């Protein structure tokens, strides 16, 4: 069985991340969403292994138990012939297991590809300076969706065909994963997406073209997307997983680190 309703800030961040994966996996013939042997498998069935993910569905008390969960995930994804990733939230590990998680996964040829702080803000402060106009357009049209893909592919350094496979045409009809492209004077310059879960509003796919960074376009788009969700769903904590480049912005906006995610891949 999975965990109950989120009760800690770290659980809010983790649950929203998994809600994002579930939303992206919906309506796909090759998707997999299943809880088994202490893990939740959420797979889009795509080539980009980051989106064929395993997550902890309950606390881990020992290094050996963590290793068994990694083996179980490998068995399931191996049967499907998919490359995959293990999204490890350190808050669900005992201190000893946190320290030795890398060693446990390395024994099964899983290496840590990236680390991201899981962050939360109860609300955003008012903007400390005037922000530029950045018109948000939902990815409900082919041209806007393609620009969403192209900006994401460039900023996250992922092959465009992989990114397009994750964010396919069916994604424009999903209501739980809402994505926008921000336009400055008619040019697509930034992207953002939101997922609302039981206890939080999650921010995803925050990206700005290099020549438009540090000018407020990404913040302007992000604030408008959050405001839209608050109008529809009410005030909720805002959560995200930060890249290294975005960390200073999020700290300035009042986000606090409450956990750490490590993504292991083969």
């Amino acid at each position: 069985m999975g965990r109950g309703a989120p009760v800690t800030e770290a659980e809010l961040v983790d649950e929203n991340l998994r809600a994002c994966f579930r939303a992206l996996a919906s309506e796909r013939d090759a998707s997999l969403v299943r809880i088994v042997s202490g893990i939740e498998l959420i797979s889009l069935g795509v080539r980009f292994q980051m989106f064929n993910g395993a997550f902890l569905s309950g606390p881990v008390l020992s290094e050996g138990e963590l290793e068994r969960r990694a083996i179980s995930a490998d068995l399931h994804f191996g049967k499907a012939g998919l490359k995959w990733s293990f999204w490890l939230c350190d808050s669900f590990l005992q201190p000893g297991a946190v320290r030795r998680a890398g060693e446990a996964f390395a024994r099964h040829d899983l290496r840590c590809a990236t680390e991201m702080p899981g962050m939360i803000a109860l609300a955003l402060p008012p903007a400390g300076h005037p922000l530029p106009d950045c018109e948000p357009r939902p990815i409900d049209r082919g041209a806007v969706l393609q620009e969403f893909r192209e900006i994401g592919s460039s900023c996250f350094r992922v092959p465009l065909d992989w990114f397009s496979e994750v964010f396919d045409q069916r994604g424009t009809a999903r209501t739980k994963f809402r994505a926008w492209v921000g336009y400055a004077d008619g040019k697509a310059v930034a992207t953002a997406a939101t997922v609302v879960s039981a206890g939080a509003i999650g921010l995803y796919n925050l990206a700005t073209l290099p020549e438009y960074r540090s000018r407020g376009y990404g913040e302007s788009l992000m604030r408008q997307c959050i405001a839209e969700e608050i109008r529809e769903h009410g005030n909720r904590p805002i959560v995200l997983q930060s890249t290294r480049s975005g960390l200073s912005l999020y700290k300035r906006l009042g986000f606090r680190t409450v956990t750490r995610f490590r993504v292991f891949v083969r």
Side-chain angles (χ1 to χ4, degrees), residues 84-252:
W84 61 284
S85 55
F86 202 119
W87 290 70
L88 184 66
C89 179
D90 282 354
S91 294
F92 301 110
L93 305 179
Q94 292 295 310
V98 170
R99 292 192 299 270
R100 294 189 292 271
E103 299 172 10
F105 283 158
R107 287 193 285 272
H108 300 279
D109 298 322
L110 291 164
R111 60 177 178 83
C112 185
T114 188
E115 296 185 14
M116 297 173 288
M119 308 184 80
I120 191 168
L122 300 183
L124 295 185
H129 52 84
L131 295 174
D133 291 334
C134 189
E135 177 200 354
R137 299 180 193 173
I139 59 168
D140 57 0
R141 287 166 287 179
V144 182
L145 174 59
Q146 184 60 20
E147 287 172 322
F148 180 87
R149 294 165 168 170
E150 290 172 355
I151 292 174
S153 170
S154 173
C155 292
F156 297 118
R157 299 180 181 179
V158 175
L160 180 58
D161 58 337
W162 288 18
F163 213 78
S164 299
E165 190 178 11
V166 171
F167 301 102
D168 62 0
Q169 290 288 347
R170 286 169 294 181
T172 64
R174 299 186 187 100
T175 57
K176 292 186 178 180
F177 182 88
R178 303 179 66 186
W180 293 265
V181 176
Y183 292 79
D185 297 322
K187 177 177 172 56
V189 301
T191 64
T194 56
V195 173
V196 177
S197 59
I201 298 170
L203 283 169
Y204 299 92
N205 292 87
L206 298 167
T208 305
L209 292 177
E211 61 269 32
Y212 286 86
R213 291 174 188 166
S214 302
R215 296 164 60 181
Y217 288 102
E219 181 180 345
S220 177
L221 177 63
M222 177 185 70
R223 286 181 177 275
Q224 292 178 81
C225 296
I226 292 173
E228 178 71 16
E229 295 293 19
I230 290 174
R231 280 192 292 270
E232 293 193 21
H233 300 283
N235 285 308
R236 303 179 188 214
I238 305 158
V239 300
L240 55 83
Q241 296 79 47
S242 176
T243 61
R244 185 176 300 175
S245 61
L247 189 57
S248 61
L249 169 63
Y250 302 135
K251 286 182 176 179
R252 178 168 61 78

Side-chain angles (χ1 to χ4, degrees), residues 13-14 17 88-89 114-118 241 259-263:
V13 180
D14 177 75
L17 174 62
L88 184 66
C89 179
T114 188
E115 296 185 14
M116 297 173 288
Q241 296 79 47
T259 189
R260 177 179 65 157
F261 290 89
R262 288 179 282 171
V263 186

